[in-house]
Coordinates of all heavy atoms in Angstrom, one line a residue:
T1 N 0.3 -26.6 7.7 CA -0.1 -26.5 6.4 C 0.9 -25.8 5.4 O 1.7 -25.0 5.9 CB -1.4 -25.7 6.3 OG1 -1.9 -25.7 4.9 CG2 -1.3 -24.3 6.8
Y2 N 0.8 -26.1 4.2 CA 1.6 -25.3 3.2 C 0.7 -24.2 2.8 O -0.5 -24.2 2.9 CB 2.0 -26.2 2.1 CG 3.2 -27.1 2.4 CD1 3.2 -28.1 3.3 CD2 4.4 -26.9 1.7 CE1 4.3 -28.8 3.7 CE2 5.6 -27.6 2.0 CZ 5.5 -28.6 3.0 OH 6.6 -29.3 3.3
V3 N 1.4 -23.1 2.3 CA 0.8 -21.9 1.9 C 1.3 -21.4 0.6 O 2.5 -21.5 0.3 CB 1.1 -20.8 3.0 CG1 0.6 -19.4 2.6 CG2 0.6 -21.2 4.4
I4 N 0.4 -20.9 -0.2 CA 0.8 -20.4 -1.5 C 0.9 -18.8 -1.4 O -0.1 -18.1 -0.9 CB -0.3 -20.8 -2.6 CG1 -0.3 -22.2 -2.7 CG2 0.1 -20.1 -3.9 CD1 -1.3 -22.8 -3.7
A5 N 2.0 -18.3 -1.8 CA 2.3 -16.9 -1.6 C 2.3 -16.1 -2.9 O 1.9 -16.5 -4.0 CB 3.7 -16.7 -0.9
Q6 N 2.8 -14.9 -2.9 CA 2.7 -14.0 -3.9 C 3.0 -14.4 -5.3 O 2.5 -14.0 -6.3 CB 3.5 -12.7 -3.5 CG 3.2 -11.4 -4.3 CD 3.9 -11.4 -5.7 OE1 5.0 -11.9 -5.7 NE2 3.3 -10.7 -6.6
P7 N 4.2 -15.2 -5.5 CA 4.6 -15.5 -6.8 C 3.5 -16.3 -7.6 O 3.7 -16.4 -8.9 CB 5.8 -16.4 -6.6 CG 6.3 -16.0 -5.3 CD 5.1 -15.7 -4.5
C8 N 2.5 -16.8 -7.0 CA 1.4 -17.5 -7.7 C 0.4 -16.5 -8.4 O -0.3 -16.8 -9.4 CB 0.6 -18.4 -6.8 SG -0.7 -19.4 -7.7
V9 N 0.4 -15.3 -7.9 CA -0.6 -14.3 -8.3 C -0.5 -14.1 -9.8 O 0.6 -13.7 -10.3 CB -0.5 -13.0 -7.5 CG1 -1.5 -11.9 -8.1 CG2 -0.8 -13.3 -6.0
D10 N -1.6 -14.2 -10.6 CA -1.7 -14.1 -11.9 C -0.9 -15.1 -12.7 O -0.7 -14.9 -13.9 CB -1.4 -12.6 -12.3 CG -2.4 -11.6 -11.8 OD1 -3.5 -12.0 -11.6 OD2 -2.0 -10.5 -11.5
V11 N -0.4 -16.1 -12.1 CA 0.3 -17.1 -12.8 C -0.5 -18.5 -12.8 O -0.9 -19.0 -13.8 CB 1.7 -17.4 -12.2 CG1 2.4 -18.6 -12.9 CG2 2.6 -16.2 -12.1
K12 N -0.9 -18.9 -11.6 CA -1.7 -20.1 -11.5 C -1.3 -21.3 -12.4 O -2.1 -21.7 -13.2 CB -3.2 -19.7 -11.7 CG -3.7 -18.7 -10.7 CD -5.2 -18.7 -10.6 CE -5.9 -18.1 -11.8 NZ -7.4 -18.0 -11.7
D13 N -0.1 -21.6 -12.3 CA 0.4 -22.7 -13.2 C -0.3 -24.0 -13.1 O -0.5 -24.7 -14.1 CB 1.9 -22.9 -12.9 CG 2.5 -23.9 -13.7 OD1 2.9 -23.7 -14.9 OD2 2.6 -25.1 -13.2
R14 N -0.8 -24.4 -11.8 CA -1.5 -25.5 -11.5 C -0.7 -26.8 -11.5 O -1.3 -27.9 -11.4 CB -2.7 -25.6 -12.4 CG -3.7 -24.5 -12.4 CD -4.9 -24.8 -13.4 NE -5.6 -25.9 -13.0 CZ -6.6 -25.9 -12.0 NH1 -6.9 -24.7 -11.5 NH2 -7.2 -26.9 -11.7
A15 N 0.6 -26.7 -11.7 CA 1.4 -28.0 -11.5 C 1.2 -28.6 -10.2 O 1.1 -29.9 -10.1 CB 2.9 -27.7 -11.7
C16 N 1.0 -27.8 -9.1 CA 0.8 -28.3 -7.8 C -0.5 -29.1 -7.6 O -0.6 -30.0 -6.9 CB 0.9 -27.1 -6.8 SG -0.4 -25.9 -7.2
V17 N -1.5 -28.6 -8.4 CA -2.8 -29.3 -8.3 C -2.7 -30.8 -8.7 O -3.3 -31.6 -8.1 CB -3.8 -28.5 -9.1 CG1 -5.2 -29.2 -9.2 CG2 -4.0 -27.1 -8.6
D18 N -1.9 -31.0 -9.7 CA -1.8 -32.4 -10.2 C -1.0 -33.2 -9.2 O -1.2 -34.4 -9.2 CB -1.0 -32.4 -11.5 CG -1.9 -31.7 -12.7 OD1 -3.1 -31.7 -12.5 OD2 -1.2 -31.2 -13.6
E19 N -0.1 -32.6 -8.4 CA 0.7 -33.3 -7.5 C 0.0 -33.7 -6.1 O 0.3 -34.6 -5.5 CB 2.0 -32.6 -7.1 CG 3.0 -32.5 -8.2 CD 3.4 -33.9 -8.7 OE1 3.7 -34.7 -7.8 OE2 3.5 -34.0 -9.9
C20 N -0.9 -32.9 -5.7 CA -1.5 -33.0 -4.4 C -2.4 -34.2 -4.2 O -3.3 -34.4 -5.0 CB -2.4 -31.8 -4.1 SG -3.1 -31.8 -2.5
P21 N -2.0 -35.1 -3.3 CA -2.7 -36.3 -3.2 C -4.1 -36.3 -2.6 O -4.9 -37.3 -2.7 CB -1.8 -37.2 -2.3 CG -1.0 -36.2 -1.5 CD -0.9 -35.0 -2.3
V22 N -4.3 -35.1 -1.9 CA -5.6 -35.0 -1.3 C -6.5 -33.9 -1.9 O -7.6 -33.5 -1.4 CB -5.5 -34.7 0.3 CG1 -4.9 -35.9 0.9 CG2 -4.8 -33.5 0.5
D23 N -6.1 -33.4 -3.1 CA -6.9 -32.4 -3.8 C -7.3 -31.2 -3.0 O -8.5 -30.8 -3.0 CB -8.1 -33.1 -4.6 CG -7.7 -34.0 -5.7 OD1 -6.6 -33.7 -6.2 OD2 -8.5 -34.9 -5.9
C24 N -6.3 -30.7 -2.2 CA -6.7 -29.5 -1.4 C -6.2 -28.2 -1.9 O -6.2 -27.3 -1.1 CB -6.1 -29.8 0.1 SG -4.4 -29.7 0.2
I25 N -5.8 -28.1 -3.1 CA -5.5 -26.8 -3.8 C -6.6 -26.3 -4.7 O -6.9 -27.1 -5.6 CB -4.1 -27.0 -4.5 CG1 -3.0 -27.6 -3.6 CG2 -3.7 -25.6 -5.1 CD1 -1.7 -27.9 -4.3
Y26 N -7.1 -25.2 -4.3 CA -8.2 -24.6 -5.1 C -7.9 -23.4 -5.8 O -7.0 -22.6 -5.4 CB -9.3 -24.3 -3.9 CG -9.8 -25.6 -3.2 CD1 -8.9 -26.1 -2.2 CD2 -11.1 -26.1 -3.5 CE1 -9.5 -27.3 -1.5 CE2 -11.4 -27.3 -2.9 CZ -10.7 -27.8 -1.9 OH -11.1 -29.0 -1.2
E27 N -8.7 -23.1 -6.8 CA -8.5 -21.9 -7.6 C -9.3 -20.7 -7.2 O -10.5 -20.9 -7.2 CB -8.7 -22.3 -9.1 CG -8.4 -21.1 -10.0 CD -8.1 -21.6 -11.4 OE1 -8.2 -22.9 -11.7 OE2 -8.0 -20.7 -12.3
G28 N -8.6 -19.6 -7.0 CA -9.3 -18.3 -6.7 C -9.2 -17.4 -8.1 O -8.7 -17.9 -9.1
A29 N -9.7 -16.2 -7.9 CA -9.6 -15.4 -9.1 C -8.3 -15.1 -9.6 O -8.0 -15.1 -10.8 CB -10.4 -14.0 -8.8
R30 N -7.3 -14.8 -8.7 CA -6.0 -14.4 -9.2 C -4.8 -15.4 -8.8 O -3.7 -15.3 -9.2 CB -5.6 -13.0 -8.8 CG -6.5 -12.0 -9.3 CD -6.1 -10.5 -9.0 NE -4.7 -10.3 -9.5 CZ -4.0 -9.3 -9.1 NH1 -4.5 -8.5 -8.2 NH2 -2.7 -9.1 -9.5
T31 N -5.2 -16.3 -7.8 CA -4.1 -17.2 -7.3 C -4.8 -18.5 -6.9 O -6.0 -18.6 -6.9 CB -3.4 -16.5 -6.1 OG1 -2.4 -17.3 -5.6 CG2 -4.4 -16.2 -5.0
L32 N -3.9 -19.5 -6.6 CA -4.4 -20.7 -6.0 C -4.3 -20.6 -4.5 O -3.5 -19.9 -4.0 CB -3.6 -21.9 -6.6 CG -3.5 -22.0 -8.1 CD1 -2.6 -23.1 -8.5 CD2 -4.9 -22.3 -8.6
Y33 N -5.0 -21.5 -3.8 CA -5.0 -21.5 -2.4 C -4.9 -22.9 -1.9 O -5.6 -23.8 -2.5 CB -6.3 -20.9 -1.8 CG -6.5 -19.4 -2.1 CD1 -7.2 -19.0 -3.2 CD2 -5.8 -18.4 -1.4 CE1 -7.4 -17.7 -3.5 CE2 -6.0 -17.1 -1.6 CZ -6.8 -16.7 -2.7 OH -7.0 -15.4 -3.0
I34 N -4.2 -23.2 -0.8 CA -4.2 -24.5 -0.1 C -5.1 -24.4 1.1 O -5.0 -23.6 1.9 CB -2.8 -24.8 0.3 CG1 -1.9 -24.9 -0.9 CG2 -2.8 -26.1 1.2 CD1 -0.4 -25.2 -0.6
H35 N -6.0 -25.4 1.1 CA -7.0 -25.6 2.2 C -6.1 -25.9 3.5 O -5.6 -27.0 3.5 CB -8.0 -26.5 2.0 CG -9.2 -26.4 2.9 ND1 -9.0 -26.6 4.3 CD2 -10.5 -26.1 2.7 CE1 -10.2 -26.5 4.9 NE2 -11.1 -26.1 3.9
P36 N -6.1 -25.1 4.5 CA -5.2 -25.4 5.6 C -5.6 -26.6 6.5 O -4.7 -27.1 7.2 CB -5.3 -24.0 6.5 CG -6.6 -23.4 6.0 CD -6.9 -23.8 4.7
E37 N -6.9 -27.0 6.4 CA -7.3 -28.1 7.3 C -7.2 -29.4 6.4 O -7.1 -30.5 7.0 CB -8.7 -28.0 7.8 CG -8.6 -27.1 9.0 CD -9.9 -26.3 9.2 OE1 -10.9 -26.6 8.8 OE2 -9.7 -25.2 9.8
E38 N -7.2 -29.3 5.1 CA -7.2 -30.5 4.2 C -5.8 -30.9 3.9 O -5.4 -32.1 3.6 CB -8.1 -30.3 3.0 CG -9.5 -30.1 3.2 CD -10.3 -29.8 2.0 OE1 -9.7 -29.8 0.9 OE2 -11.5 -29.5 2.1
C39 N -4.9 -30.0 3.9 CA -3.4 -30.2 3.6 C -2.9 -31.2 4.6 O -3.0 -30.9 5.8 CB -2.7 -28.9 3.6 SG -0.9 -29.1 3.4
V40 N -2.2 -32.2 4.1 CA -1.6 -33.2 5.0 C -0.1 -33.0 5.1 O 0.6 -33.9 5.7 CB -1.9 -34.7 4.5 CG1 -3.4 -34.9 4.6 CG2 -1.4 -34.9 3.1
D41 N 0.5 -31.9 4.7 CA 1.8 -31.5 4.9 C 2.8 -32.5 4.2 O 3.9 -32.8 4.7 CB 2.2 -31.4 6.4 CG 1.5 -30.2 7.0 OD1 1.0 -29.3 6.3 OD2 1.6 -30.1 8.3
C42 N 2.4 -33.0 3.1 CA 3.2 -34.0 2.4 C 4.4 -33.4 1.7 O 5.4 -34.0 1.5 CB 2.5 -34.9 1.4 SG 2.0 -34.0 -0.1
G43 N 4.2 -32.1 1.3 CA 5.4 -31.4 0.6 C 5.4 -31.6 -0.8 O 6.4 -31.0 -1.5
A44 N 4.6 -32.4 -1.5 CA 4.8 -32.7 -2.9 C 4.5 -31.6 -3.8 O 5.1 -31.5 -4.8 CB 3.7 -33.8 -3.2
C45 N 3.8 -30.6 -3.3 CA 3.5 -29.4 -4.2 C 4.7 -28.5 -4.3 O 4.8 -27.9 -5.4 CB 2.3 -28.7 -3.7 SG 2.4 -28.2 -2.0
E46 N 5.5 -28.4 -3.3 CA 6.4 -27.3 -3.2 C 7.5 -27.4 -4.3 O 7.7 -26.4 -5.0 CB 7.1 -27.4 -1.8 CG 8.1 -26.3 -1.6 CD 8.9 -26.4 -0.2 OE1 8.6 -27.3 0.5 OE2 9.7 -25.6 0.0
P47 N 8.1 -28.5 -4.6 CA 9.2 -28.5 -5.7 C 8.7 -28.3 -7.1 O 9.5 -28.0 -7.9 CB 9.9 -29.8 -5.4 CG 8.9 -30.7 -4.7 CD 8.0 -29.8 -3.9
V48 N 7.4 -28.6 -7.3 CA 7.0 -28.6 -8.7 C 6.4 -27.1 -9.1 O 6.1 -26.9 -10.3 CB 5.8 -29.6 -9.0 CG1 6.3 -31.0 -8.7 CG2 4.5 -29.3 -8.2
C49 N 6.3 -26.3 -8.2 CA 5.9 -24.9 -8.5 C 7.0 -24.2 -9.3 O 8.0 -23.9 -8.8 CB 5.5 -24.1 -7.3 SG 5.0 -22.5 -7.6
P50 N 6.6 -23.8 -10.5 CA 7.7 -23.1 -11.3 C 8.0 -21.7 -10.8 O 9.1 -21.2 -11.2 CB 7.0 -23.0 -12.7 CG 5.5 -23.1 -12.5 CD 5.4 -23.9 -11.2
T51 N 7.2 -21.1 -10.0 CA 7.5 -19.8 -9.5 C 7.9 -19.8 -8.1 O 8.1 -18.8 -7.4 CB 6.3 -18.8 -9.6 OG1 5.2 -19.3 -8.8 CG2 5.8 -18.7 -11.0
E52 N 8.1 -21.1 -7.5 CA 8.5 -21.2 -6.1 C 7.6 -20.4 -5.1 O 8.0 -19.6 -4.2 CB 10.0 -20.9 -5.9 CG 10.8 -21.8 -6.7 CD 12.3 -21.6 -6.5 OE1 12.7 -20.9 -5.6 OE2 13.1 -22.2 -7.3
A53 N 6.2 -20.6 -5.3 CA 5.3 -19.8 -4.6 C 4.8 -20.5 -3.2 O 4.2 -20.0 -2.4 CB 4.1 -19.5 -5.4
I54 N 5.3 -21.8 -3.1 CA 4.7 -22.6 -2.1 C 5.7 -22.8 -0.9 O 6.9 -23.2 -1.2 CB 4.2 -24.0 -2.6 CG1 3.2 -23.8 -3.7 CG2 3.5 -24.8 -1.5 CD1 2.8 -25.1 -4.4
F55 N 5.2 -22.6 0.3 CA 6.1 -22.7 1.5 C 5.4 -23.4 2.6 O 4.1 -23.3 2.8 CB 6.5 -21.3 2.0 CG 7.2 -20.5 1.0 CD1 6.5 -19.7 0.1 CD2 8.6 -20.5 1.0 CE1 7.2 -18.9 -0.9 CE2 9.2 -19.7 0.1 CZ 8.6 -18.9 -0.8
Y56 N 6.2 -24.1 3.4 CA 5.6 -24.7 4.7 C 5.3 -23.4 5.5 O 6.1 -22.4 5.4 CB 6.6 -25.6 5.4 CG 6.0 -26.2 6.7 CD1 4.8 -26.9 6.6 CD2 6.5 -25.9 7.9 CE1 4.3 -27.4 7.7 CE2 6.0 -26.4 9.0 CZ 4.9 -27.2 9.0 OH 4.3 -27.7 10.2
E57 N 4.3 -23.5 6.3 CA 3.8 -22.2 7.0 C 4.9 -21.6 7.8 O 5.1 -20.3 7.9 CB 2.6 -22.5 7.9 CG 2.8 -23.6 8.9 CD 1.6 -23.9 9.8 OE1 0.9 -22.9 10.1 OE2 1.2 -25.1 10.0
D58 N 5.8 -22.4 8.5 CA 6.8 -21.8 9.3 C 8.0 -21.3 8.5 O 8.9 -20.6 9.0 CB 7.4 -22.8 10.3 CG 6.4 -23.3 11.3 OD1 5.4 -22.6 11.5 OD2 6.5 -24.4 11.9
D59 N 8.0 -21.6 7.2 CA 9.1 -21.1 6.3 C 8.7 -20.0 5.4 O 9.5 -19.6 4.5 CB 9.6 -22.3 5.4 CG 10.2 -23.5 6.3 OD1 10.6 -23.2 7.4 OD2 10.1 -24.5 5.8
L60 N 7.5 -19.4 5.6 CA 7.1 -18.3 4.7 C 8.1 -17.2 4.9 O 8.3 -16.7 6.0 CB 5.7 -17.8 5.1 CG 4.4 -18.3 4.4 CD1 3.3 -17.7 5.1 CD2 4.5 -17.9 3.0
P61 N 8.5 -16.6 3.8 CA 9.4 -15.4 3.9 C 8.6 -14.3 4.6 O 7.4 -14.2 4.4 CB 9.6 -15.1 2.4 CG 9.6 -16.4 1.7 CD 8.4 -17.1 2.4
E62 N 9.3 -13.6 5.4 CA 8.6 -12.5 6.2 C 7.7 -11.5 5.3 O 6.6 -11.2 5.7 CB 9.8 -11.6 6.8 CG 9.3 -10.4 7.6 CD 8.6 -10.9 8.9 OE1 9.0 -11.9 9.5 OE2 7.6 -10.2 9.3
E63 N 8.2 -11.2 4.1 CA 7.4 -10.3 3.3 C 6.1 -10.9 2.9 O 5.2 -10.2 2.3 CB 8.2 -9.7 2.2 CG 8.6 -10.8 1.0 CD 9.9 -11.4 1.3 OE1 10.3 -11.7 2.4 OE2 10.6 -11.7 0.3
W64 N 6.0 -12.2 2.9 CA 4.8 -12.8 2.5 C 4.0 -13.5 3.6 O 3.2 -14.4 3.4 CB 5.1 -13.9 1.4 CG 5.7 -13.3 0.2 CD1 5.4 -12.1 -0.3 CD2 6.6 -13.9 -0.8 NE1 6.1 -11.9 -1.5 CE2 6.8 -13.0 -1.7 CE3 7.2 -15.2 -0.8 CZ2 7.7 -13.3 -2.9 CZ3 8.1 -15.5 -1.9 CH2 8.3 -14.5 -2.9
S65 N 4.3 -13.1 4.8 CA 3.6 -13.7 6.0 C 2.1 -13.5 6.0 O 1.4 -14.3 6.6 CB 4.1 -13.1 7.3 OG 4.1 -11.7 7.3
D66 N 1.7 -12.4 5.3 CA 0.2 -12.3 5.2 C -0.5 -13.4 4.4 O -1.7 -13.5 4.5 CB -0.1 -11.0 4.4 CG 0.3 -9.7 5.0 OD1 0.9 -9.8 6.1 OD2 0.2 -8.7 4.3
Y67 N 0.2 -14.2 3.7 CA -0.4 -15.2 2.8 C -1.0 -16.4 3.6 O -1.9 -17.1 3.2 CB 0.5 -15.6 1.7 CG 0.5 -14.6 0.6 CD1 1.3 -13.5 0.7 CD2 -0.3 -14.7 -0.6 CE1 1.3 -12.4 -0.3 CE2 -0.4 -13.7 -1.5 CZ 0.5 -12.6 -1.4 OH 0.4 -11.7 -2.4
F68 N -0.5 -16.6 4.8 CA -1.1 -17.6 5.7 C -2.5 -17.3 5.9 O -3.4 -18.1 5.7 CB -0.3 -17.7 7.0 CG -1.0 -18.7 7.9 CD1 -0.8 -20.1 7.7 CD2 -1.8 -18.3 8.9 CE1 -1.3 -21.0 8.6 CE2 -2.4 -19.2 9.7 CZ -2.2 -20.6 9.6
R69 N -2.7 -16.0 6.3 CA -4.0 -15.4 6.5 C -4.9 -15.4 5.3 O -6.2 -15.8 5.3 CB -4.0 -14.1 7.2 CG -5.2 -13.5 7.8 CD -5.3 -14.1 9.2 NE -6.7 -14.8 9.2 CZ -7.1 -15.7 10.1 NH1 -6.3 -16.0 11.1 NH2 -8.3 -16.2 10.1
A70 N -4.3 -15.1 4.2 CA -5.0 -15.0 3.0 C -5.6 -16.4 2.5 O -6.7 -16.5 2.0 CB -4.1 -14.5 1.8
N71 N -4.8 -17.4 2.8 CA -5.3 -18.7 2.5 C -6.4 -19.2 3.4 O -7.5 -19.7 2.9 CB -4.2 -19.8 2.5 CG -3.2 -19.7 1.2 OD1 -3.2 -20.7 0.4 ND2 -2.4 -18.7 1.1
V72 N -6.2 -18.9 4.6 CA -7.3 -19.2 5.6 C -8.6 -18.5 5.3 O -9.7 -19.0 5.2 CB -6.9 -19.0 7.1 CG1 -8.1 -19.1 8.1 CG2 -5.7 -19.8 7.5
D73 N -8.5 -17.2 5.0 CA -9.6 -16.3 4.7 C -10.4 -16.7 3.5 O -11.6 -16.6 3.4 CB -9.2 -14.9 4.6 CG -8.9 -14.3 6.0 OD1 -9.2 -15.0 7.0 OD2 -8.3 -13.2 6.0
F74 N -9.6 -17.2 2.5 CA -10.3 -17.6 1.3 C -11.3 -18.7 1.5 O -12.4 -18.7 1.0 CB -9.2 -18.1 0.2 CG -9.8 -18.7 -1.0 CD1 -10.4 -17.8 -2.0 CD2 -9.9 -20.1 -1.3 CE1 -11.0 -18.3 -3.1 CE2 -10.4 -20.6 -2.5 CZ -10.9 -19.7 -3.4
F75 N -11.0 -19.7 2.4 CA -11.8 -20.8 2.6 C -12.9 -20.4 3.6 O -14.0 -20.9 3.5 CB -11.1 -22.0 3.1 CG -10.2 -22.5 2.0 CD1 -8.8 -22.2 2.0 CD2 -10.7 -23.2 0.9 CE1 -8.0 -22.7 1.0 CE2 -9.9 -23.6 -0.1 CZ -8.6 -23.4 -0.1
A76 N -12.7 -19.4 4.4 CA -13.7 -18.9 5.3 C -14.8 -18.2 4.6 O -16.0 -18.2 4.9 CB -13.2 -17.9 6.3
G77 N -14.4 -17.6 3.4 CA -15.4 -16.9 2.6 C -16.2 -17.7 1.6 O -17.0 -17.3 0.9
L78 N -15.8 -19.0 1.4 CA -16.5 -19.9 0.4 C -17.9 -20.1 0.9 O -18.2 -20.3 2.0 CB -15.7 -21.2 0.3 CG -14.4 -21.2 -0.5 CD1 -13.9 -22.6 -0.7 CD2 -14.7 -20.6 -1.9
Ligands
SF4_1 FE1 -1.3 -31.0 -1.1 FE2 0.8 -32.1 0.1 FE3 0.9 -29.6 -0.9 FE4 -0.5 -30.0 1.2 S1 1.7 -30.2 1.0 S2 -1.2 -28.8 -0.6 S3 -1.4 -32.1 0.9 S4 0.6 -31.5 -2.1

């Protein structure tokens, strides 16, 4: 899955939402989240993010490694 990390917080540009072919990017209070089971790993969202907040799970920078869990937990709480 792709994961949305810290640079999205309080930005929520939503350019990624328009690109996603399966509509698996959802809006939370302060950031957007990618549904880890609905994401088809197409990569379309990553280059359009103006803050470069989106990473493939294995490419998440170390300092944002918590965001994988944050995306999973967001959907667990819905
Ligand atoms: Fe949607 Fe593709 Fe991005 Fe996954 S990688 S969130 S399917 S645009």
Side-chain angles (χ1 to χ4, degrees):
T1 183
Y2 277 69
V3 173
I4 299 181
Q6 197 279 331
C8 183
V9 176
D10 295 331
V11 179
K12 297 200 292 184
D13 176 85
R14 303 181 60 88
C16 58
V17 175
D18 295 336
E19 289 300 317
C20 182
V22 295
D23 292 332
C24 69
I25 305 176
Y26 297 78
E27 186 163 353
R30 294 187 59 196
T31 184
L32 301 176
Y33 296 97
I34 293 174
H35 194 299
E37 279 146 30
E38 296 176 4
C39 174
V40 296
D41 291 347
C42 73
C45 53
E46 183 183 358
V48 301
C49 177
T51 64
E52 299 184 10
I54 307 178
F55 299 87
Y56 183 63
E57 57 183 316
D58 293 341
D59 297 333
L60 260 180
E62 180 68 37
E63 69 267 38
W64 296 330
S65 58
D66 296 357
Y67 281 82
F68 176 81
R69 196 74 239 164
N71 280 250
V72 171
D73 288 350
F74 175 73
F75 295 102
L78 283 183

